Amino acid sequence: MPELIFEKSRPGAGSFTAATGGVNFGGLEPRLPKRGLRTRPLGLPEVVEGEVVRHYLGLSTLNHHVDKDFYPLGSCTMKYNPKINDALALLPGFTGLHPAQPAAEAQGALTLLWELGEALKTISGMDAVTLQPVAGAHGELTALFMIRAYHEKLGRPRRKVIIPDAAHGTNPASIAMSGYEVVQVKSAADGCMDLEALKALLDEDVAAFMITNPNTVGIFERHIVEINALVHAVGALSYMDGANLNALLGIVKPGELGFDIMHINLHKTFSVPHGGGGPGAGPLVVKQRLAPFLPGPLPVRMGDQVVWGERGPDSIGPVHSYFGNFGALVRAYAYIRRLGARGLRRVSEYAILNANYVRVGLQDLYKVGFAGIPLHEVVFSAINQRRLGYKASHIAKRLLDFGLHAPTTYFPLIVPEALMVEPTETESRATLDRFIAAMRQIHRECEEKNPLLDSAPNTTPVRKLDDVRAVKQPRLRWRKEQD
Ligand SMILES: *Cc1c(COP(=O)(O)O)cnc(C)c1O
């Protein structure tokens, strides 16, 4: 392990020298009460400037990230984010703007928000939008609050929300947090929705049905129009978890499939950097009948100006301060404007092509979770390797030795020893070939019972961790005496 900056500290080696007489406030000395003044120094590390720079640059190369190498995390869409989007979001006109600036003085920013909303409506086939939610899970929660408000307005509150057993973990969590009861419906043998099982669960107590399409095994639900009609027949709303739209851009509009409401993760499909917890953006698009319940205020176009619209009486109220994560919205806007309709469609076409290139390159050695042609991601099941004595986790950890990030493992739960790969459209054929070659070599190592599999990862700064202890006894703070 590299040394911590505190361990590099040498008394007197500080990077700067302050004037000995203290700071000259020119007669405006802050009058802090004595008890508020520090009596002992802060205990900051003392390191010369050059070493500080090298220290942090070194740290930045220890962790894996999408600018360093391939990051095929299924469902998460870890794609390369063009740097021009960052450059545009950092324009001083954007970064220097105060969120409470009067609308008349912030027309550029407001127009950007309005146009981004219009683009998302067009892409999704929906009628209205809010950009406020700052994550996928936040969009889900906002949607569920709106769904509740909608049913209450009609004077028939309901209790249940149905999800498939392969749902992303945030779905049941958001449902429970919004006070609804989670009802799971089984997947059929082909990885799609079991229509008969769904029919048996649908009744007048169901507030909504939530589904990801393509589903979490990467397969498009062929019966989705029929499913949405069944949901509507009992007066429930149909929610699409659109966190990952990488398979659909310019090809399918969820609004035209009968969905009423959907969140979109700009930090997945629309090139906003993510990982490490944010900042993200999870805008919500809805059909007209849900528009009155949207959080507000919303930007509205009035002639050639964009102004903040009044929040209507049925609005659930704001779910975030001001407009959500503005910097993330600028990046997504730049990305959408740069690609245009044709470019966005090509994103999905290449994402699908790349996932299937990986599938075909590996399917003789790694069992594919479900028959049929997946779209933007492919789920393998490491059951051939398990017969040889190795689990999906061995394969995932050994991949790190090749400088590649592991796929998502053990999700979805309905696939045993799942390895979920989403290569995304931004990877070149050379990178995909390198990944396929590494996976094929790892399979050979399973056959040879190569000891490198048990000790993996062998080349990372931190070696094999005790997963359980890491969760139960985390060491979150460095103390000298620990070492
Ligand atoms: C990532 C993801 C979410 C959650 O999004 P966050 O921004 O991480 O909260 C929800 N559903 C699906 C299908 C996802 O892939």
Side-chain angles (χ1 to χ4, degrees):
M1 273 296 284
E3 275 186 312
L4 296 175
I5 191 89
F6 287 93
E7 292 168 307
K8 289 185 175 161
S9 175
R10 301 284 173 267
S15 301
F16 70 97
T17 35
T20 41
V23 183
N24 180 1
F25 289 97
L28 292 173
E29 278 75 13
R31 268 175 235 121
L32 288 176
K34 253 232 156 62
R35 62 186 159 79
L37 294 179
R38 181 175 290 286
T39 51
R40 276 177 295 135
L42 202 49
L44 293 175
E46 296 181 72
V47 184
V48 295
E49 181 176 326
E51 263 182 57
V52 174
V53 171
R54 288 178 190 157
H55 176 78
Y56 285 105
L57 192 83
L59 286 185
S60 77
T61 65
L62 294 181
N63 215 350
H64 195 90
H65 48 93
V66 77
D67 285 351
K68 192 168 165 187
D69 212 325
F70 191 43
Y71 203 144
L73 210 53
S75 186
C76 278
T77 323
M78 299 301 292
K79 60 181 171 189
Y80 173 75
N81 307 297
K83 296 290 170 262
I84 186 164
N85 302 335
D86 294 336
L88 293 172
L90 289 174
L91 287 176
F94 290 136
T95 55
L97 198 60
H98 193 280
Q101 195 86 8
E105 295 163 15
Q107 280 301 298
L110 281 178
T111 303
L112 181 147
L113 294 175
W114 187 80
E115 285 187 7
L116 174 61
E118 292 305 296
L120 295 177
K121 279 158 57 179
T122 305
I123 289 167
S124 62
M126 296 283 196
D127 305 319
V129 60
T130 171
L131 305 173
Q132 257 185 12
V134 293
H138 194 197
E140 291 172 23
L141 193 67
T142 306
L144 285 156
F145 287 162
M146 289 176 62
I147 289 168
R148 178 180 291 285
Y150 168 83
H151 287 301
E152 279 173 2
K153 177 86 180 178
L154 294 177
R156 37 162 215 206
R158 298 171 171 222
R159 288 186 304 128
K160 298 184 287 192
V161 176
I162 301 181
I163 51 170
D165 57 1
H168 190 273
T170 51
N171 294 181
S174 302
I175 295 168
M177 277 191 73
S178 66
Y180 281 117
E181 186 186 318
V182 180
V183 179
Q184 280 202 357
V185 57
K186 276 200 331 283
S187 299
D190 61 357
C192 287
M193 179 96 323
D194 183 334
L195 272 192
E196 293 311 312
L198 175 65
K199 276 185 201 159
L201 291 173
L202 279 170
D203 60 30
E204 306 261 312
D205 210 15
V206 174
F209 170 70
M210 282 175 94
I211 192 171
T212 305
N213 197 18
N215 61 29
T216 44
V217 294
I219 308 264
F220 191 83
E221 292 279 351
R222 286 180 311 282
H223 301 298
I224 196 62
V225 173
E226 195 183 337
I227 289 171
N228 285 338
L230 289 170
V231 170
H232 289 149
V234 294
L237 294 167
S238 206
Y239 180 89
M240 176 155 150
D241 178 340
N244 186 330
L245 283 187
N246 250 33
L248 303 186
L249 296 177
I251 302 173
V252 168
K253 295 189 176 193
E256 292 174 0
L257 300 177
F259 286 104
D260 302 293
I261 183 163
M262 171 173 83
H263 78 268
I264 302 168
N265 281 14
L266 299 185
H267 50 288
K268 287 185 181 165
T269 308
F270 295 96
S271 157
V272 172
H274 68 123
L284 202 58
V285 283
V286 303
K287 287 279 173 65
Q288 196 54 50
R289 61 181 163 148
L290 284 166
F293 304 96
L294 281 169
L298 302 170
V300 217
R301 171 139 255 172
M302 305 263 278
D304 59 355
Q305 295 279 301
V306 179
V307 297
W308 288 112
E310 287 289 312
R311 179 147 50 89
D314 292 329
S315 164
I316 61 163
V319 294
H320 195 275
S321 52
Y322 300 104
F323 351 88
N325 279 332
F326 183 67
L329 303 174
V330 177
R331 286 172 172 85
Y333 177 79
Y335 180 73
I336 291 171
R337 287 298 301 269
R338 167 71 186 81
L339 288 176
R342 208 177 118 74
L344 289 174
R345 187 186 164 99
R346 285 170 73 99
V347 163
S348 288
E349 288 170 349
Y350 282 125
I352 295 167
L353 183 66
N354 282 1
N356 282 283
Y357 186 81
V358 170
R359 173 177 65 85
V360 171
L362 291 175
Q363 64 188 2
D364 57 327
L365 302 183
Y366 292 87
K367 186 178 179 304
V368 177
F370 289 98
I373 300 203
L375 297 177
H376 61 302
E377 59 197 3
V378 51
V379 181
F380 295 102
S381 167
I383 52 170
N384 296 339
Q385 292 70 25
R386 191 168 67 186
R387 273 187 222 110
L388 298 167
Y390 298 95
K391 299 169 33 147
S393 56
H394 285 106
I395 297 163
K397 291 199 193 299
R398 181 71 178 124
L399 265 174
L400 307 181
D401 288 336
F402 293 80
L404 302 165
H405 198 281
T408 299
T409 53
Y410 300 99
F411 178 80
L413 302 172
I414 55 171
V415 177
E417 299 295 328
L419 288 164
M420 186 190 208
V421 180
E422 183 180 9
T424 85
E425 75 286 356
T426 57
E427 297 302 334
S428 67
R429 186 168 168 186
T431 301
L432 300 180
D433 285 339
R434 202 153 51 81
F435 174 70
I436 291 168
M439 289 289 283
R440 296 188 74 85
Q441 179 178 329
I442 292 172
H443 175 77
R444 278 197 302 280
E445 292 176 355
C446 292
E447 290 176 327
E448 298 158 358
K449 308 247 179 293
N450 191 321
L452 285 174
L453 282 165
D454 290 306
S455 52
N458 303 289
T459 59
T460 48
V462 176
R463 301 282 301 275
K464 197 177 196 116
L465 294 175
D466 180 339
D467 297 352
V468 177
R469 246 185 89 204
V471 175
K472 299 218 161 161
Q473 298 167 18
R475 268 167 55 178
L476 301 177
R477 190 176 153 214
W478 175 79
R479 282 200 189 83
K480 209 168 197 166
E481 54 274 25
Q482 278 179 347
D483 296 85

